[in-house]
């Protein structure tokens, strides 16, 4: 068959892509039809998939979907936080916007009354917004969210600091 190491590597990469697509596709269908069974299969597949960030990302995403289908918002929020961490850690490979994942997780944690956790995620959103240079309006909105959550978490100093920074940005606009 293949004698060239480049051809062998290419064939292996193609095989890995096919396996990833098959596993993700099968679990995606199972997630929609039987989320409880999907969670069992996903839990079994995650340790095996941990070497491949793309497959791991897909599996954790399916886990979040199954948890949402079952109404387990707390578990869903944790899975979304895990997805965001994967997106940040493997930014070049996954090409996924971590801010939207962080935001979704923060919103759920806030709904669940987990202000400290939501604040931590919102601080990460603020960092990513700054790093990406997304503009003063988005930065001010992120600061306002941090201020609100810091207040809810009992961190008056951080709330005041973030509110002042947001107001200064809004004044520039």
């Amino acid at each position: 068959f293949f004698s060239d190491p480049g051809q062998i590597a290419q064939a292996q990469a193609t095989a890995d892509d096919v396996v990833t697509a098959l596993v993700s596709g099968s679990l995606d269908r199972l997630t929609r039809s039987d989320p409880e069974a999907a969670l069992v299969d996903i839990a079994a597949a995650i340790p095996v998939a941990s070497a491949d960030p793309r497959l791991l990302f897909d599996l954790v995403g399916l886990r979040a979907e199954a948890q949402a289908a079952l109404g387990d918002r707390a578990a869903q929020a944790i899975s979304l936080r895990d997805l965001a961490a994967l997106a940040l850690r493997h930014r070049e490979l996954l090409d996924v916007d971590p801010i939207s994942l962080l935001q979704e997780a923060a919103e759920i944690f806030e709904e669940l009354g987990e202000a400290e956790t939501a604040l931590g995620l919102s601080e990460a959103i603020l960092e990513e917004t700054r790093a990406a240079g997304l503009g003063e309006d988005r930065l001010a909105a992120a600061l306002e969210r941090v201020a609100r959550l810091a207040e809810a978490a009992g961190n008056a100093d951080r709330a005041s600091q973030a509110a002042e920074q947001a107001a200064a940005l809004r004044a520039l606009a």
Side-chain angles (χ1 to χ4, degrees):
F1 286 140
F2 301 115
S3 59
D4 177 18
Q7 289 177 318
I8 295 170
Q10 185 177 8
Q12 181 61 46
T14 302
D16 289 347
D17 288 342
V18 169
V19 169
T20 298
L22 289 172
V23 169
S24 293
S26 297
L27 286 173
D28 185 41
R29 284 186 296 282
L30 183 59
T31 299
R32 295 183 203 299
S33 64
D34 188 352
E36 287 179 8
L39 285 174
V40 171
D41 289 349
I42 291 166
I46 283 177
V48 176
S50 64
D52 181 350
R54 295 170 302 163
L55 181 55
L56 184 58
F57 186 86
D58 289 346
L59 289 170
V60 174
L62 290 171
R63 183 178 71 191
E65 286 180 33
Q67 291 161 333
L70 293 170
D72 190 347
R73 301 282 284 163
Q76 179 192 13
I78 292 168
S79 290
L80 289 168
R81 182 184 62 195
D82 293 348
L83 277 175
L86 284 167
L88 289 166
R89 191 174 319 118
H90 302 286
R91 190 181 305 262
E92 296 81 23
L93 180 64
L94 294 174
D95 192 31
V96 174
D97 175 25
I99 293 175
S100 61
L101 295 167
L102 289 164
Q103 209 156 2
E104 190 174 355
E107 288 170 4
I108 295 171
F109 279 115
E110 185 179 7
E111 288 171 16
L112 296 172
E114 298 285 337
E116 283 284 337
T117 304
L119 175 60
L121 293 168
S122 295
E123 291 281 8
I125 292 167
L126 179 59
E127 273 183 45
E128 285 298 308
T129 302
R130 280 189 177 128
L134 295 178
E136 293 175 356
D137 191 48
R138 296 248 331 246
L139 187 55
L143 283 161
E144 290 163 350
R145 179 182 188 90
V146 166
R148 182 174 45 76
L149 289 167
E151 186 72 32
N155 189 340
D157 290 341
R158 180 63 180 126
S160 175
Q161 179 189 40
E164 287 173 16
Q165 291 173 342
L169 283 172
R170 295 279 187 211
L172 294 174

